[in-house]
Each structure stands twice: as C-alpha cells, then as structure tokens.
Amino acid sequence: MKDLSDRLLAPALPLLRRLDPERAHGLAIDALLLGAGVPPSRPKDDPALATRAFGMRFSNPIGIAAGFDKDARVVRPLAQLGFGFVEAGTVTPRPQQGNPRPRLFRLTEDRAVINRMGFNNQGIDRFTVRLARLYRDRGTRPGAPVGANLGINKIGAAPELDYPELIARVKPYVDYIVLNLSSPNTPGLRALQDSERLAELLAAINARHATRPPLLIKLAPDLADEQLAPVIEAAAQGGANGLIISNTTLARPATLRSPHAGETGGLSGRPLKARATEMLREAARLANGRLGLVGCGGIETGADIVERVRAGADLVQVYSAFAYEGPALLARLKRETLTILRELGVESLSDLKGADLKNNGGESR
Ligand SMILES: Cc1cc2nc3c(=O)[nH]c(=O)nc-3n(C[C@H](O)[C@H](O)[C@H](O)COP(=O)(O)O)c2cc1C
C-alpha cells in the first residue's frame, strides 16, 4: 500500500508544479491526509542532528514553517515525513477567507514564492478541535514537537485581547506558541513589532497566563536595523522565550527575473536567504543567549542549515523549498547536513551553535 502511494505521488510532483499553485497546495494537503507518500512511522534521525531548545528535545532541527498547514489538518503526516517539528497556523480568532485569488505565485526562475493569502483559515474553534483529536484519536503524541502560530483577524481585531484568548485556547495542546507579528498581508499587524506595543502585548499575555508553553515572536525581515535592538529588549524583558527570523519580505531584490516579481505580497525562498541570515546573526548578538532562535527564509541545502546554526539558530524552518521539492527535500537536507558535519569533524550539529559569533569576539555564547 505504501509502495503504491509512493508510486502515485512521485510522478504527480511535476504535475503539481504545473498546476495553479494554490490548487497544487490543496492537493498536497489532500495527499498528506490520505497518507500518500507518508511512511507509517517517522524515519529515525541520526543522533548528530538531535538538539535541545526551549526545554525540549528535537530529533532534528528542521521544522515546517507556518502557513503550510494553516488549519492543523496534517500535523501528524508532516511529523511522519520526518520534520523535526511542525508549526500549524496562522490561525485567527474567527474564520476568514483571505484575499481574492490569485494570491499565491511561483517565481520559478528565482526559486521563490510571493503570497498575499491574507490569513485565510477556518478559525480557532476548528483548529483546536483538530489539535484535541490529534492526541485523543491515536493516544500517542505526533512524535515531534508541535507549535501553534497565532494571528489576528483583518476586521475587528483587538490584539491585547485576541492573543491572550488564542493562547488560552491552544495551550493545552501545543509544545510552543508563536505570535505572528510579521505577515505583510494583514494591515497594521507589523506595527505590533514596535517595542512599546510589543511590551504592552506581552504584559497583557502575562497578566492572563501565569503558565504557558514557550512563547516565540515571529519577526519581519523588513525591520529597520535600529528597530531590532528595542524589539529584542521588549521580547526578552516581557518574558518571551524566542524569536523566529524571519517571515516573508516586502522587498524586491533587483535580481528577480520571474514575470510575477511585481505581484503584491510577501516574497520567500532563495532571494530572502541573505537578509534572513544577516538579521538572525544580528539578533543572536543582541539577544546574547536570552532568547532561543529559529532561522527561517530561503533555506534549501544542508549548507544553509549549517550556516544558520553557526549564525546562532537553535532550529530552522522551511516552506518555499518544500513547496518546490516536496517530501524528498527532508532526506536531502539531513544527508547534506551530516556530510558537512563529517567533513568538519564535528560530532553534533548543536556543537556549531553560534560558532560565527564566538569567532567575532562574542564571548557569551
Ligand atoms: C504561501 C505561504 C503562506 C505563508 N503563510 C504564513 C502564515 O500563515 N504565517 C506565518 O507566520 N508565515 C507564513 N508564511 C511565511 C513562512 O512561514 C516563512 O516564514 C517564509 O516563507 C520564509 O521561509 P521560506 O523562504 O523557506 O519559504 C507563508 C509563506 C508562504 C510561501
């Protein structure tokens, strides 16, 4: 049966790539729901890839980034494919349709994606029912840490009320929580990255939640350099546990060649890599060990993973490369990472954490 589903899925990939990208994404979710191409249990990871972050163990550091499974429909199959952790969402308090289609574009020539989905999702009620079922139906946890990425509705949002309420809804079920303050497609959302607003938001969360899973903040790569230090202070002093760096960018590098380069929305994939890495490195320097760091943006090789870890990442996430390559991406990333570790004579990927910072005189890591 498994062979059959593999045989069905592999030839379908080139076809999926030719379809309208949003339909292809829907079909990929359906295939995962049916278990097509999903091994019956998680592949065993080489111990050299294991790491600890946010008080948890991860058998490998590669997570699926938010936005792939907005409604928490395929958390378990994603874990079974071999992701080291799975982030579901962004989910908002009420269901919403998002922006009119087309709203998702492949920039094939640039190995990039532009999206202006606008938080299309089924809302927190259905999201939490699925998370509850995830544990109840099988009696076992999915085998990899699970996070919930939270956002606000386009209309009628009250962030200081909405985020604490969303946290209350998901906290029985997840291993970590992300405040998404960085989608470019929800007007006003990115203003919450302002350090005073962020301090207020975290105070409202702390007032309602004496205990909660680790809380991460997902930042935009378009933050000005001088904005980063105050955001990091507000996050650390407000009791946040980590940062995800980064979300998609509004920038359009002059190198883009695809005819879709002029579409409105957030750009992800290869053209985001340099900025996301640079911002991560700077954040690691500023946070100075106070916050866990998840590197995201343009990761598509084992060398990219090693580079992010050396720049200070505890964990990494991928989206665009997975959209282009499908599940084969995971085995390749792990294989390439292990080859680099062997070449360097390093026993464990986590031994390289923050290595660049140490070389530059950062004594504290
Ligand atoms: C189609 C699409 C939808 C996304 N939706 C979300 C989302 O709902 N919430 C979020 O925090 N990030 C979302 N993202 C951003 C990704 O999680 C990730 O931060 C970004 O794509 C950079 O990683 P990548 O270069 O590996 O794709 C989305 C990205 C894409 C391409």
Side-chain angles (χ1 to χ4, degrees), residues 237-261:
Q237 284 168 27
N241 305 92
L243 304 172
I244 302 184
I245 297 173
S246 73
N247 212 314
T248 58
T249 180
L250 288 170
R252 293 292 182 269
T255 51
L256 295 180
R257 289 184 300 137
S258 161
H260 294 304

PDB file of all heavy atoms in Angstrom, residues 237-261:
ATOM      1  N   GLN A 237      12.545  41.182  27.951  1.00  0.00           N
ATOM      2  CA  GLN A 237      12.051  41.685  29.233  1.00  0.00           C
ATOM      3  C   GLN A 237      10.593  41.322  29.459  1.00  0.00           C
ATOM      4  O   GLN A 237      10.135  41.216  30.603  1.00  0.00           O
ATOM      5  CB  GLN A 237      12.276  43.190  29.330  1.00  0.00           C
ATOM      6  CG  GLN A 237      13.748  43.494  29.606  1.00  0.00           C
ATOM      7  CD  GLN A 237      14.110  44.957  29.434  1.00  0.00           C
ATOM      8  OE1 GLN A 237      13.243  45.827  29.590  1.00  0.00           O
ATOM      9  NE2 GLN A 237      15.355  45.215  29.091  1.00  0.00           N
ATOM     10  N   GLY A 238       9.859  41.132  28.377  1.00  0.00           N
ATOM     11  CA  GLY A 238       8.446  40.748  28.510  1.00  0.00           C
ATOM     12  C   GLY A 238       8.252  39.254  28.716  1.00  0.00           C
ATOM     13  O   GLY A 238       7.130  38.772  28.762  1.00  0.00           O
ATOM     14  N   GLY A 239       9.341  38.508  28.797  1.00  0.00           N
ATOM     15  CA  GLY A 239       9.233  37.089  29.129  1.00  0.00           C
ATOM     16  C   GLY A 239       9.065  36.165  27.933  1.00  0.00           C
ATOM     17  O   GLY A 239       8.776  34.977  28.111  1.00  0.00           O
ATOM     18  N   ALA A 240       9.243  36.692  26.704  1.00  0.00           N
ATOM     19  CA  ALA A 240       9.195  35.793  25.536  1.00  0.00           C
ATOM     20  C   ALA A 240      10.384  34.843  25.595  1.00  0.00           C
ATOM     21  O   ALA A 240      11.407  35.155  26.211  1.00  0.00           O
ATOM     22  CB  ALA A 240       9.216  36.598  24.241  1.00  0.00           C
ATOM     23  N   ASN A 241      10.241  33.689  24.970  1.00  0.00           N
ATOM     24  CA  ASN A 241      11.295  32.685  25.031  1.00  0.00           C
ATOM     25  C   ASN A 241      12.138  32.588  23.767  1.00  0.00           C
ATOM     26  O   ASN A 241      13.191  31.968  23.777  1.00  0.00           O
ATOM     27  CB  ASN A 241      10.678  31.313  25.318  1.00  0.00           C
ATOM     28  CG  ASN A 241       9.836  31.328  26.565  1.00  0.00           C
ATOM     29  OD1 ASN A 241       8.621  31.567  26.502  1.00  0.00           O
ATOM     30  ND2 ASN A 241      10.451  31.140  27.708  1.00  0.00           N
ATOM     31  N   GLY A 242      11.620  33.146  22.664  1.00  0.00           N
ATOM     32  CA  GLY A 242      12.389  33.014  21.432  1.00  0.00           C
ATOM     33  C   GLY A 242      11.870  33.881  20.305  1.00  0.00           C
ATOM     34  O   GLY A 242      10.835  34.555  20.428  1.00  0.00           O
ATOM     35  N   LEU A 243      12.618  33.858  19.209  1.00  0.00           N
ATOM     36  CA  LEU A 243      12.259  34.619  18.007  1.00  0.00           C
ATOM     37  C   LEU A 243      12.330  33.701  16.800  1.00  0.00           C
ATOM     38  O   LEU A 243      13.209  32.827  16.735  1.00  0.00           O
ATOM     39  CB  LEU A 243      13.254  35.765  17.782  1.00  0.00           C
ATOM     40  CG  LEU A 243      13.456  36.764  18.904  1.00  0.00           C
ATOM     41  CD1 LEU A 243      14.624  37.708  18.552  1.00  0.00           C
ATOM     42  CD2 LEU A 243      12.176  37.585  19.131  1.00  0.00           C
ATOM     43  N   ILE A 244      11.441  33.918  15.847  1.00  0.00           N
ATOM     44  CA  ILE A 244      11.591  33.276  14.539  1.00  0.00           C
ATOM     45  C   ILE A 244      11.989  34.358  13.546  1.00  0.00           C
ATOM     46  O   ILE A 244      11.293  35.369  13.392  1.00  0.00           O
ATOM     47  CB  ILE A 244      10.283  32.601  14.082  1.00  0.00           C
ATOM     48  CG1 ILE A 244       9.836  31.557  15.108  1.00  0.00           C
ATOM     49  CG2 ILE A 244      10.488  31.954  12.701  1.00  0.00           C
ATOM     50  CD1 ILE A 244       8.603  30.773  14.716  1.00  0.00           C
ATOM     51  N   ILE A 245      13.113  34.132  12.894  1.00  0.00           N
ATOM     52  CA  ILE A 245      13.652  35.137  11.969  1.00  0.00           C
ATOM     53  C   ILE A 245      13.936  34.455  10.641  1.00  0.00           C
ATOM     54  O   ILE A 245      14.908  33.715  10.528  1.00  0.00           O
ATOM     55  CB  ILE A 245      14.931  35.768  12.548  1.00  0.00           C
ATOM     56  CG1 ILE A 245      14.564  36.508  13.845  1.00  0.00           C
ATOM     57  CG2 ILE A 245      15.579  36.708  11.551  1.00  0.00           C
ATOM     58  CD1 ILE A 245      15.760  37.040  14.611  1.00  0.00           C
ATOM     59  N   SER A 246      13.063  34.612   9.632  1.00  0.00           N
ATOM     60  CA  SER A 246      12.045  35.630   9.576  1.00  0.00           C
ATOM     61  C   SER A 246      10.840  35.186   8.758  1.00  0.00           C
ATOM     62  O   SER A 246      10.817  34.118   8.181  1.00  0.00           O
ATOM     63  CB  SER A 246      12.629  36.881   8.910  1.00  0.00           C
ATOM     64  OG  SER A 246      12.762  36.629   7.511  1.00  0.00           O
ATOM     65  N   ASN A 247       9.882  36.105   8.708  1.00  0.00           N
ATOM     66  CA  ASN A 247       8.723  35.964   7.818  1.00  0.00           C
ATOM     67  C   ASN A 247       9.122  36.399   6.391  1.00  0.00           C
ATOM     68  O   ASN A 247      10.309  36.611   6.117  1.00  0.00           O
ATOM     69  CB  ASN A 247       7.575  36.816   8.369  1.00  0.00           C
ATOM     70  CG  ASN A 247       6.221  36.203   8.064  1.00  0.00           C
ATOM     71  OD1 ASN A 247       5.954  35.764   6.934  1.00  0.00           O
ATOM     72  ND2 ASN A 247       5.343  36.178   9.057  1.00  0.00           N
ATOM     73  N   THR A 248       8.146  36.563   5.526  1.00  0.00           N
ATOM     74  CA  THR A 248       8.412  36.976   4.133  1.00  0.00           C
ATOM     75  C   THR A 248       8.746  38.468   4.066  1.00  0.00           C
ATOM     76  O   THR A 248       8.458  39.223   5.000  1.00  0.00           O
ATOM     77  CB  THR A 248       7.183  36.716   3.257  1.00  0.00           C
ATOM     78  OG1 THR A 248       6.072  37.432   3.813  1.00  0.00           O
ATOM     79  CG2 THR A 248       6.845  35.238   3.192  1.00  0.00           C
ATOM     80  N   THR A 249       9.332  38.877   2.936  1.00  0.00           N
ATOM     81  CA  THR A 249       9.750  40.276   2.794  1.00  0.00           C
ATOM     82  C   THR A 249       8.918  41.035   1.759  1.00  0.00           C
ATOM     83  O   THR A 249       8.459  40.458   0.770  1.00  0.00           O
ATOM     84  CB  THR A 249      11.241  40.383   2.404  1.00  0.00           C
ATOM     85  OG1 THR A 249      11.595  41.762   2.279  1.00  0.00           O
ATOM     86  CG2 THR A 249      11.556  39.691   1.078  1.00  0.00           C
ATOM     87  N   LEU A 250       8.764  42.324   2.021  1.00  0.00           N
ATOM     88  CA  LEU A 250       8.126  43.208   1.031  1.00  0.00           C
ATOM     89  C   LEU A 250       9.146  43.720   0.025  1.00  0.00           C
ATOM     90  O   LEU A 250       8.789  44.295  -0.997  1.00  0.00           O
ATOM     91  CB  LEU A 250       7.460  44.391   1.744  1.00  0.00           C
ATOM     92  CG  LEU A 250       6.184  44.029   2.511  1.00  0.00           C
ATOM     93  CD1 LEU A 250       5.722  45.188   3.385  1.00  0.00           C
ATOM     94  CD2 LEU A 250       5.071  43.611   1.552  1.00  0.00           C
ATOM     95  N   ALA A 251      10.422  43.509   0.321  1.00  0.00           N
ATOM     96  CA  ALA A 251      11.475  43.974  -0.593  1.00  0.00           C
ATOM     97  C   ALA A 251      11.435  43.158  -1.889  1.00  0.00           C
ATOM     98  O   ALA A 251      10.997  42.008  -1.896  1.00  0.00           O
ATOM     99  CB  ALA A 251      12.842  43.818   0.076  1.00  0.00           C
ATOM    100  N   ARG A 252      11.909  43.759  -2.959  1.00  0.00           N
ATOM    101  CA  ARG A 252      12.005  43.064  -4.242  1.00  0.00           C
ATOM    102  C   ARG A 252      13.415  43.260  -4.784  1.00  0.00           C
ATOM    103  O   ARG A 252      13.704  44.252  -5.452  1.00  0.00           O
ATOM    104  CB  ARG A 252      10.979  43.620  -5.251  1.00  0.00           C
ATOM    105  CG  ARG A 252       9.529  43.355  -4.900  1.00  0.00           C
ATOM    106  CD  ARG A 252       9.194  41.862  -4.989  1.00  0.00           C
ATOM    107  NE  ARG A 252       7.777  41.641  -4.689  1.00  0.00           N
ATOM    108  CZ  ARG A 252       7.288  41.398  -3.476  1.00  0.00           C
ATOM    109  NH1 ARG A 252       8.095  41.334  -2.425  1.00  0.00           N
ATOM    110  NH2 ARG A 252       6.000  41.204  -3.295  1.00  0.00           N
ATOM    111  N   PRO A 253      14.313  42.313  -4.460  1.00  0.00           N
ATOM    112  CA  PRO A 253      15.694  42.451  -4.936  1.00  0.00           C
ATOM    113  C   PRO A 253      15.726  42.652  -6.450  1.00  0.00           C
ATOM    114  O   PRO A 253      14.918  42.061  -7.180  1.00  0.00           O
ATOM    115  CB  PRO A 253      16.326  41.108  -4.552  1.00  0.00           C
ATOM    116  CG  PRO A 253      15.465  40.569  -3.466  1.00  0.00           C
ATOM    117  CD  PRO A 253      14.091  41.091  -3.706  1.00  0.00           C
ATOM    118  N   ALA A 254      16.656  43.468  -6.909  1.00  0.00           N
ATOM    119  CA  ALA A 254      16.750  43.793  -8.338  1.00  0.00           C
ATOM    120  C   ALA A 254      17.085  42.565  -9.179  1.00  0.00           C
ATOM    121  O   ALA A 254      16.901  42.571 -10.391  1.00  0.00           O
ATOM    122  CB  ALA A 254      17.820  44.864  -8.538  1.00  0.00           C
ATOM    123  N   THR A 255      17.544  41.510  -8.514  1.00  0.00           N
ATOM    124  CA  THR A 255      17.952  40.303  -9.249  1.00  0.00           C
ATOM    125  C   THR A 255      16.776  39.449  -9.717  1.00  0.00           C
ATOM    126  O   THR A 255      16.965  38.519 -10.505  1.00  0.00           O
ATOM    127  CB  THR A 255      18.815  39.419  -8.327  1.00  0.00           C
ATOM    128  OG1 THR A 255      18.103  39.256  -7.096  1.00  0.00           O
ATOM    129  CG2 THR A 255      20.167  40.027  -8.058  1.00  0.00           C
ATOM    130  N   LEU A 256      15.559  39.737  -9.244  1.00  0.00           N
ATOM    131  CA  LEU A 256      14.420  38.869  -9.589  1.00  0.00           C
ATOM    132  C   LEU A 256      14.174  38.866 -11.086  1.00  0.00           C
ATOM    133  O   LEU A 256      14.185  39.906 -11.737  1.00  0.00           O
ATOM    134  CB  LEU A 256      13.149  39.334  -8.854  1.00  0.00           C
ATOM    135  CG  LEU A 256      13.167  39.233  -7.325  1.00  0.00           C
ATOM    136  CD1 LEU A 256      11.841  39.727  -6.743  1.00  0.00           C
ATOM    137  CD2 LEU A 256      13.451  37.805  -6.877  1.00  0.00           C
ATOM    138  N   ARG A 257      13.918  37.662 -11.637  1.00  0.00           N
ATOM    139  CA  ARG A 257      13.748  37.532 -13.081  1.00  0.00           C
ATOM    140  C   ARG A 257      12.340  37.100 -13.482  1.00  0.00           C
ATOM    141  O   ARG A 257      11.953  37.190 -14.628  1.00  0.00           O
ATOM    142  CB  ARG A 257      14.754  36.500 -13.622  1.00  0.00           C
ATOM    143  CG  ARG A 257      16.194  37.016 -13.589  1.00  0.00           C
ATOM    144  CD  ARG A 257      17.152  36.022 -14.207  1.00  0.00           C
ATOM    145  NE  ARG A 257      17.114  34.756 -13.493  1.00  0.00           N
ATOM    146  CZ  ARG A 257      17.105  33.565 -14.067  1.00  0.00           C
ATOM    147  NH1 ARG A 257      17.117  33.456 -15.374  1.00  0.00           N
ATOM    148  NH2 ARG A 257      17.088  32.465 -13.339  1.00  0.00           N
ATOM    149  N   SER A 258      11.589  36.572 -12.519  1.00  0.00           N
ATOM    150  CA  SER A 258      10.293  35.997 -12.853  1.00  0.00           C
ATOM    151  C   SER A 258       9.286  37.069 -13.267  1.00  0.00           C
ATOM    152  O   SER A 258       9.287  38.178 -12.723  1.00  0.00           O
ATOM    153  CB  SER A 258       9.743  35.246 -11.637  1.00  0.00           C
ATOM    154  OG  SER A 258       8.372  35.058 -11.781  1.00  0.00           O
ATOM    155  N   PRO A 259       8.397  36.745 -14.206  1.00  0.00           N
ATOM    156  CA  PRO A 259       7.342  37.696 -14.585  1.00  0.00           C
ATOM    157  C   PRO A 259       6.399  38.041 -13.433  1.00  0.00           C
ATOM    158  O   PRO A 259       5.704  39.052 -13.481  1.00  0.00           O
ATOM    159  CB  PRO A 259       6.587  36.962 -15.712  1.00  0.00           C
ATOM    160  CG  PRO A 259       7.050  35.543 -15.681  1.00  0.00           C
ATOM    161  CD  PRO A 259       8.402  35.542 -15.041  1.00  0.00           C
ATOM    162  N   HIS A 260       6.388  37.238 -12.373  1.00  0.00           N
ATOM    163  CA  HIS A 260       5.499  37.528 -11.231  1.00  0.00           C
ATOM    164  C   HIS A 260       6.151  38.433 -10.187  1.00  0.00           C
ATOM    165  O   HIS A 260       5.546  38.708  -9.146  1.00  0.00           O
ATOM    166  CB  HIS A 260       5.071  36.231 -10.542  1.00  0.00           C
ATOM    167  CG  HIS A 260       4.212  35.368 -11.390  1.00  0.00           C
ATOM    168  ND1 HIS A 260       3.027  35.814 -11.942  1.00  0.00           N
ATOM    169  CD2 HIS A 260       4.345  34.079 -11.781  1.00  0.00           C
ATOM    170  CE1 HIS A 260       2.478  34.831 -12.633  1.00  0.00           C
ATOM    171  NE2 HIS A 260       3.260  33.773 -12.563  1.00  0.00           N
ATOM    172  N   ALA A 261       7.387  38.869 -10.455  1.00  0.00           N
ATOM    173  CA  ALA A 261       8.137  39.601  -9.421  1.00  0.00           C
ATOM    174  C   ALA A 261       7.405  40.859  -8.946  1.00  0.00           C
ATOM    175  O   ALA A 261       7.607  41.309  -7.820  1.00  0.00           O
ATOM    176  CB  ALA A 261       9.523  39.966  -9.938  1.00  0.00           C
TER     177      ALA A 261
END
